[in-house]
Amino acid sequence: MPQPPAQQRLHAMLDLLRQQIAQQPDGACRQPRFDSQLFRTSGTRLADYLRELEGNVTQLTAADSDVARRQWLAEKVLDQIAALQRECQSQQLRVKRERPRVDARQTKREEYQGYEKRLLAMIQQREQHLARAETLSVQQQLIREVDQLQERLARCRAAIYKLELPSMPR
């Protein structure tokens, strides 16, 4: 059964909002981002608010005969969507202490993964040069460089692995 145009637009708006939230740094904040009249969730992450909004959309699209309740819920859903859109658009305007807290381990992991990616590219580049090298001295130099890069890559991967281990109590 096809959805009415209003429901289609609502779901399209919700999909767009999901994409916007997925692109945001979504750490927990020190204080709730919204008024308790707008969102009842106890979490402070954008995903927590999105989850509540999705629940309200599900209630709204369910067959309910109480017209006054549906109208109230529709207005609330529209207010929640507008608030989340504004929040996504204004993340960069927040002062540092109000921004979502970033997980230091996740930041380090992303940094190390960037190193890993660059090391792999460097190894591939050196191996391509090695395949085209004509003199023995150039080949030996490139082999040494590849070996050094392989060692650096191993240390980098060990650091990533160490970050992924659950922290042990001391």
Side-chain angles (χ1 to χ4, degrees):
M1 179 169 97
Q3 294 179 336
Q7 281 186 3
Q8 288 176 343
R9 286 195 313 266
L10 180 62
H11 286 289
M13 288 172 65
L14 201 55
D15 289 339
L16 181 62
L17 191 56
R18 274 190 208 102
Q19 291 172 4
Q20 289 174 338
I21 288 175
Q23 296 171 357
Q24 299 294 324
D26 196 20
C29 287
R30 297 169 200 244
Q31 299 174 344
R33 297 176 191 232
F34 303 103
D35 185 75
S36 60
Q37 295 286 327
L38 187 58
F39 286 98
R40 294 181 310 190
T41 188
S42 59
T44 60
R45 297 177 50 229
L46 290 173
D48 298 329
Y49 297 112
L50 180 63
R51 202 170 9 264
E52 180 177 332
L53 172 61
E54 288 170 338
N56 288 340
V57 168
T58 301
Q59 287 180 12
L60 182 62
T61 56
D64 187 6
S65 58
D66 187 2
V67 176
R69 171 150 172 69
R70 284 179 59 101
Q71 184 176 2
W72 175 83
L73 191 55
E75 289 175 13
K76 182 169 184 159
V77 162
L78 289 176
D79 289 343
Q80 287 178 333
I81 288 172
L84 282 171
Q85 287 173 335
R86 279 192 309 274
E87 182 69 14
C88 285
Q89 293 168 353
S90 66
Q91 284 296 301
Q92 302 307 318
L93 300 176
R94 287 182 171 272
V95 292
K96 189 163 181 81
R97 72 176 187 284
E98 291 180 356
R99 288 188 183 151
R101 287 177 279 179
V102 179
D103 181 17
R105 291 172 65 96
Q106 179 63 27
T107 304
K108 215 40 152 167
R109 183 179 301 110
E110 290 170 1
E111 180 183 348
Y112 290 166
Q113 287 171 339
Y115 294 152
E116 179 185 33
K117 184 177 178 181
R118 286 192 296 277
L119 284 168
L120 287 169
M122 291 168 68
I123 289 170
Q124 183 180 17
Q125 179 190 30
R126 297 303 192 291
E127 288 174 343
Q128 288 173 355
H129 288 322
L130 180 61
R132 293 189 308 260
E134 294 179 7
T135 65
L136 181 62
S137 62
V138 172
Q139 289 175 347
Q140 289 173 338
Q141 175 63 30
L142 288 170
I143 289 172
R144 280 193 298 275
E145 288 179 19
V146 168
D147 288 342
Q148 290 172 344
L149 289 170
Q150 291 284 2
E151 290 171 7
R152 287 176 60 193
L153 180 62
R155 289 192 301 270
C156 182
R157 286 182 171 161
I160 292 171
Y161 177 76
K162 192 186 258 185
L163 277 174
E164 291 174 355
L165 291 176
S167 51
M168 304 289 280
R170 294 179 186 207

